[in-house]
Amino acid sequence: MDLNADLGEGFGIWRLGDDEALLDLVTSANVACGFHGGDPSTMRRVCAAAAERGVTVGAQVGYRDLAGFGRRHIAYSFDELRDDVTYQIGALDAFCRPYRTRVRYLKPHGALYHAAATDEVQAAAVVAAVTGYDHELPILCAPGSTLAQLAVGAGLRVVAEGFADRGYLPTGALVPRTAPGALVTDPEEVALRAVRMATEHTVVAVDGTVVPCPVASICLHGDSPGAVASAALVRAALIDAGVTPTPFA
C-alpha cells in the first residue's frame, strides 16, 4: 500500500506542515507546484529531500489561487485549465532533474480534485494535460470519479486513493470541509481507518455505514493537526497488519 502526503504547500516565509518529517514516513510526495501553494525554492527543497530519501515525487496541481489555498472553485475554460496543469507539471519536473528524479504521477488538489470528480470539462482538461506531457504518468484520484473514468478511457493508469484523515459520506464522497466530521484528528483512529482501507478495502462513513473503498494509496494531509504523529502511527499499524508501505509509481 502506498502512503502519500501533500507537501511543499508553504511559500515565502510561510511554512505549512513538517515536510521533512513526513518524508521520512510516506512513500509518495504530492508536491505543490506554485499555484495553490508552494514556490520555486520550496519546490526545489522538497524535491531534493524526497530524492535523498527515495520518496516518489508527484505533481500536486491546483487552481491558480494562493489566497484561497486552491480550495475555492474556479470556472475554468478547458484550454486554460489544461495549460495551467501542464505548466505546473513542467515546473515541478524542472526541480526534480537536478536530483536525478522526475515527476512520476499527478494528483489534483482541493477544489480541482472535487471538481474533476464530477465535472467532465475539468476532468478532461486534467487528462489532456497529462496525455500531452507524458502518457506514462499515472493519475491519483478518487475511485469511480469522472476523472478516473476519462483517464482510463484515454489509456492512462489510474491509482485509486483513500483518505484516512477525512470523513466519508454514505455515498463514498468526502464530507465537505465546512461540515461536521470532515476531519479525523485522533492519530489512533486515523491509523485504524488506514489499516481497514488496506486490508478490508472499506471505510466507515460518518453515519456508521460501511462504504467500499478499493484503494491503492492512502493520503495523509500535511496540513492536518497532528499530521506527523498520524503518519507515524499509520505506517507502524500497516506494517503490524502485514502491509508493506510501497510507492505505486
Side-chain angles (χ1 to χ4, degrees):
M1 177 63 69
D2 177 64
L3 281 179
N4 77 77
D6 300 341
L7 302 175
E9 293 181 312
F11 58 92
I13 63 170
W14 182 61
R15 292 290 182 96
L16 180 65
D18 191 337
D19 293 336
E20 283 72 20
L22 283 167
L23 282 168
D24 288 331
L25 298 167
V26 300
T27 52
S28 297
N30 317 316
V31 183
C33 301
F35 275 31
H36 77 275
D39 60 24
S41 294
T42 301
M43 292 159 70
R44 177 184 287 275
R45 173 177 57 80
V46 176
C47 287
E52 181 182 9
R53 293 162 172 79
V55 175
T56 299
V57 173
Q60 186 191 18
V61 300
Y63 291 148
R64 198 183 314 181
D65 180 26
L66 274 178
F69 196 54
R71 287 182 174 158
R72 303 182 293 191
H73 179 74
I74 297 177
Y76 272 88
S77 69
F78 172 89
D79 289 349
E80 186 178 12
L81 182 55
R82 177 201 59 204
D83 295 345
D84 272 9
V85 171
T86 302
Y87 183 99
Q88 292 175 79
I89 301 170
L92 185 63
D93 211 27
F95 288 112
C96 287
R97 292 185 179 223
Y99 307 102
R100 297 185 179 181
T101 187
R102 61 183 176 86
V103 171
R104 298 190 182 276
Y105 66 93
L106 175 141
K107 174 185 171 178
H109 163 82
L112 176 57
Y113 189 100
H114 295 295
T118 58
D119 185 314
E120 289 193 7
V121 173
Q122 295 214 359
V126 173
V127 169
V130 173
T131 56
Y133 189 87
D134 182 352
H135 201 273
E136 298 302 313
L137 288 183
I139 293 181
L140 182 61
C141 61
S145 62
T146 298
L147 176 57
Q149 295 171 28
L150 293 183
V152 169
L156 299 175
R157 179 186 174 196
V158 170
V159 178
E161 176 183 40
F163 295 86
D165 57 4
R166 289 292 312 276
Y168 277 79
L169 296 171
T171 60
L174 295 177
V175 175
R177 282 184 173 268
T178 55
L183 298 179
V184 181
T185 57
D186 179 358
E188 292 187 1
E189 184 179 356
V190 173
L192 289 173
R193 289 163 65 84
V195 169
R196 182 168 189 144
M197 287 180 181
T199 60
E200 300 179 22
H201 306 297
T202 62
V203 66
V204 178
V206 289
D207 68 346
T209 304
V210 177
V211 180
C213 192
V215 300
S217 182
I218 296 173
C219 177
L220 300 169
H221 286 90
D223 64 324
S224 293
V228 175
S230 291
L233 273 180
V234 166
R235 185 180 181 94
L238 287 173
I239 292 171
D240 285 346
V243 179
T244 302
T246 307
F248 63 81

